Amino acid sequence: MQAVYNIAEICARHGITDVVLSPGSRSAPLTLAFARHPDLTVRVVPDERAAAFIGLGIAQAQRRAVALVCTSGTAGLNYAPAVAEAFFQHIPLVIFTADRPPEWIDQLDGQTIRQHNLFGAHAKGAFEFPVDTSHPDAKWHSARIVNEAINMAQAAPAGPVQVNVSLREPFYPKAGEEIRYEQDVQIIREWPSVITLSKASQAELKQQLKMATRALIVAGQQPVDEQLMHALRLFSDTYGISVLGDSISNSDGVGASVISRQDVFLAGLSSEQKEALRPDLLITFGQSLISKSLKLFLRDSATEQHWHLQATGAAADTFRSLTTIVRVEPASFFESLTIEKTQSSLASPVKTRFNLAWVSAQQRADAALQDFFSGQGDRYQKSQPVFNEFSAFAEALASLPEYTALHLANSMAVRYANILGIPQGRHIEVFANRGTSGIDGCNSTAVGAALAQPERPVVLLTGDVAFFYDRNAFWHNYPVPNLRVVLFNNHGGGIFRLIDGPRQQPELEEFFETRQTLTAENTARDFNLGYFPVSTFAELDAALPVFFAAETGAAILEIFTDSKTNAAFFEEYRAAVKQAFS
């Protein structure tokens, strides 16, 4: 059993500090090894699906690997949604799944399934821990496996790695027996390689940049990176190139030149207007985009050149236009191709006109949004006191505290935020599970972030379906006083009233919206969370300052709205924007 106990020591020596485990008998040796290690923070979350997403949230916030531990059987299968999200979002998780010995697989033994390579193509790798480690070679092999798994999880592009640990009884040490961690256990470290562009490559790319007259940069999902934003800002200024970024790109650091309202205006533009915005050179980096309008626009643009900046890993051809994969970190690319400040700008008049076309569209979108809320929006709020979630969402965004880690649930929450924009100048970092875009772990990921950064406000904006689906996120014994959940409850999947297709169908309410009558009051009571229910603008205005106050502690603000009213209000908004660009 010493080799199993050494797993915890190897994890700690590699800099892993946090472990999330779910109780079980077969996993007892792993549980005890991690729980008794002095350098590890171990948290128990009974629901494996929630546990895995909480681990993902911790790893996302800390930007280092987190270990997960579960018992045998279907327990590991419940990790699968979070494992897939971590795989596509490049988040390092090291997953230790306890297992029956191999001779008992397929023999109708309890809690026994086929756990080898349990996550298939959604894990970077899968290792089998030796069943018998009594021989010195087997013991060396076991340590080597754990080192390889941790290094693989953290090597770029990071991701989840499984270590399947088959265990025989006895699982528990005898009374008074101490668990010992061997200090001479083998540690194998891996240093990342540094990839830079050669002088010849830089010269060629600079020449192509000079020739391009309609260049555009699109930033995908990524964490806050001040070095990257500084380099991108200088590059954009030097070449006169606009930068487009969804809210999840965290590209506010680029400054005023970033275009973030493309979701507002692209869908309603005429063919002629779209042609004026079509790039001849597209430069992309980061991961996924929220904006379907932007994706469709770029797919239809027939861009002559598309450079994607990605140092390692498989590169996606999201816009069907990829011509060049530039194997370098984005910050390094922008730094190496930026002309010295003493030299003149390379923004030619033609380039400037193209850039101004995007800037003008952004400004018109800003004005359209402002006019709508100050005009037609006020009519709803004042002349007709009809409460709606789009306006309420805007108020919640505007009330976010400084330095908030903002988590956006999938479906309408992430889309509303993308349309409305993130408040500027407050150092707000945006997170969302857009690797797979599922609703299954939005609460848990935010809980993980709150546990990992107790000094930072963590705010989740979510809809009712995503919230109630993941209520077990709160089923644990760890306080999260910095967590605030803003729940928009329209009693169903309101997004289906806002998108073409389902909203035109007679089966909308029963088979797409799936109407429900739940409220979060009992959830708040069960898990000792503050509870603020509101259903009017006056109630919302009164609740927001108290809700976000630091002394309030963990709380849920439940905003009740009507799905049909929401859909009607949002349709009027879309019509107003289309009219502004007609």
Side-chain angles (χ1 to χ4, degrees):
M1 200 61 76
Q2 184 60 54
V4 175
Y5 297 156
N6 284 344
I7 290 174
E9 177 67 18
I10 296 169
C11 286
R13 299 268 287 277
H14 272 278
I16 291 176
T17 59
D18 288 79
V19 182
V20 181
L21 62 85
S22 298
S25 181
R26 183 66 52 171
S27 56
L30 287 165
T31 296
L32 294 174
F34 282 110
R36 295 185 185 181
H37 197 285
D39 298 327
L40 296 172
T41 298
V42 181
R43 298 180 177 92
V44 180
V45 179
D47 184 324
E48 285 88 2
R49 190 186 74 195
F53 275 108
I54 287 173
L56 183 148
I58 295 172
Q60 194 179 56
Q62 294 181 342
R63 303 193 188 186
R64 61 172 177 264
V66 165
L68 302 177
V69 180
C70 70
T71 194
S72 63
T74 56
L77 285 174
N78 285 291
Y79 281 168
V83 170
E85 180 65 32
F87 181 81
F88 286 110
Q89 212 179 133
H90 300 163
I91 295 174
L93 298 175
V94 186
I95 305 153
F96 295 97
T97 52
D99 198 2
R100 290 293 199 275
E103 64 268 20
W104 286 105
I105 307 302
D106 292 330
Q107 299 307 307
L108 305 182
D109 204 22
Q111 287 185 281
T112 306
I113 64 172
R114 300 173 185 180
Q115 291 185 204
H116 174 67
N117 196 21
L118 189 61
F119 308 110
H122 292 114
K124 286 187 69 179
F127 295 86
E128 289 291 328
F129 196 84
V131 182
D132 184 356
T133 56
S134 58
H135 192 280
D137 287 357
K139 188 177 178 184
W140 158 76
H141 183 210
S142 69
R144 196 192 78 206
I145 279 175
V146 179
N147 278 281
E148 289 181 11
I150 296 170
N151 286 331
M152 181 182 290
Q154 300 192 114
V161 176
Q162 179 199 10
V163 180
N164 196 49
V165 185
S166 298
L167 295 164
R168 290 195 176 98
E169 297 189 61
F171 302 140
Y172 302 93
K174 297 177 182 177
E177 181 183 348
E178 292 186 3
I179 289 179
R180 184 171 58 90
Y181 303 102
E182 293 181 333
Q183 298 304 301
D184 60 350
V185 66
Q186 185 179 19
I187 302 297
I188 305 170
R189 303 192 186 280
E190 181 176 325
W191 289 90
S193 59
V194 178
I195 305 171
T196 58
L197 289 173
S198 67
K199 295 296 182 183
S201 297
Q202 291 180 35
E204 182 179 346
L205 291 169
K206 285 178 181 178
Q207 182 60 32
Q208 292 186 41
L209 277 167
K210 291 179 184 178
M211 295 173 61
T213 58
R214 300 159 65 90
L216 190 65
I217 301 169
V218 174
Q221 181 173 21
Q222 61 186 352
V224 165
D225 186 333
E226 293 183 4
Q227 178 189 356
L228 171 58
M229 290 301 106
H230 177 72
L232 181 55
R233 183 168 61 251
L234 292 178
F235 180 90
S236 173
D237 292 344
T238 297
Y239 291 94
I241 301 176
S242 287
V243 179
L244 273 68
D246 279 342
S247 59
I248 58 174
S249 70
N250 287 299
S251 53
D252 293 347
V254 178
S257 60
V258 69
I259 307 296
S260 59
R261 289 272 192 260
Q262 63 273 7
D263 240 7
V264 175
F265 60 81
L266 277 177
L269 296 184
S270 66
S271 299
E272 294 77 12
Q273 289 171 321
K274 288 181 179 178
E275 177 59 29
L277 299 176
R278 184 183 68 82
D280 60 4
L281 169 62
L282 178 64
I283 303 173
T284 61
F285 63 94
Q287 297 166 29
S288 63
L289 298 175
I290 301 169
S291 174
K292 183 177 180 180
S293 297
L294 178 58
K295 283 187 279 192
L296 293 177
F297 167 75
L298 292 174
R299 287 171 188 169
D300 293 338
S301 290
T303 304
E304 296 164 24
Q305 289 194 78
H306 174 189
W307 305 348
H308 183 67
L309 317 180
Q310 186 172 316
T312 58
D317 187 12
T318 305
F319 311 120
R320 300 184 303 202
S321 60
L322 188 61
T323 58
T324 306
I325 301 170
V326 185
R327 288 299 186 187
V328 68
E329 292 293 341
S332 177
F333 173 90
F334 295 120
E335 287 170 351
S336 62
L337 268 66
T338 298
I339 308 300
E340 296 295 330
K341 292 182 180 179
T342 54
Q343 298 188 22
S344 61
S345 169
L346 293 176
S348 67
V350 176
K351 288 180 178 178
T352 300
R353 283 197 297 273
F354 180 68
N355 183 36
L356 287 175
W358 277 100
V359 172
S360 174
Q362 165 89 344
Q363 292 172 342
R364 292 175 69 185
D366 287 344
L369 195 65
Q370 184 175 354
D371 289 347
F372 179 75
F373 276 113
S374 62
Q376 199 166 15
D378 276 351
R379 179 171 61 82
Y380 270 83
Q381 292 181 27
K382 295 175 182 177
S383 302
Q384 303 176 26
V386 178
F387 197 49
N388 70 88
E389 67 182 8
F390 192 42
S391 299
F393 202 100
E395 289 199 26
L397 275 178
S399 302
L400 291 175
E402 281 194 320
Y403 297 98
T404 290
L406 174 62
H407 284 250
L408 300 170
N410 284 310
S411 285
M412 282 311 296
V414 72
R415 289 172 172 82
Y416 279 147
N418 208 41
I419 291 168
L420 292 165
I422 306 302
Q424 301 294 299
R426 297 193 202 169
H427 310 283
I428 293 170
E429 185 172 9
V430 181
F431 300 88
N433 286 348
R434 297 300 292 181
T436 60
S437 302
I439 64 168
D440 35 11
C442 300
N443 295 355
S444 297
T445 306
V447 167
L451 290 168
Q453 300 177 311
E455 75 293 341
R456 184 182 191 186
V458 176
V459 178
L460 169 65
L461 303 182
T462 184
D464 52 287
V465 176
F467 176 84
F468 292 120
Y469 196 89
D470 192 27
R471 276 183 291 187
N472 277 356
F474 310 107
W475 183 23
H476 55 77
N477 298 321
Y478 308 102
V480 282
N482 55 325
L483 177 66
R484 303 292 187 277
V485 178
V486 183
L487 166 58
F488 296 86
N489 190 350
N490 56 32
H491 297 292
I495 189 173
F496 293 106
R497 283 192 181 273
L498 303 178
I499 56 177
D500 288 331
R503 66 175 177 162
Q504 285 89 7
Q505 307 308 314
E507 296 87 356
L508 170 65
E509 289 196 11
E510 182 177 359
F511 293 100
F512 293 95
E513 275 196 315
T514 56
R515 304 291 292 169
Q516 49 80 24
T517 59
L518 297 171
T519 77
E521 184 175 8
N522 289 335
T523 301
R525 184 184 303 111
D526 288 343
F527 299 113
N528 197 29
L529 305 172
Y531 181 62
F532 297 78
V534 302
S535 55
T536 68
F537 287 110
E539 290 174 350
L540 179 62
D541 291 342
L544 280 169
V546 181
F547 174 73
F548 281 123
E551 60 272 16
T552 297
I556 299 171
L557 171 64
E558 186 164 23
I559 300 174
F560 293 101
T561 61
D562 175 73
S563 185
K564 293 179 181 179
T565 300
N566 296 337
F569 186 84
F570 197 68
E571 273 305 303
E572 295 220 12
Y573 155 74
R574 287 200 283 205
V577 171
K578 190 173 182 179
Q579 177 64 32
F581 279 84
S582 64

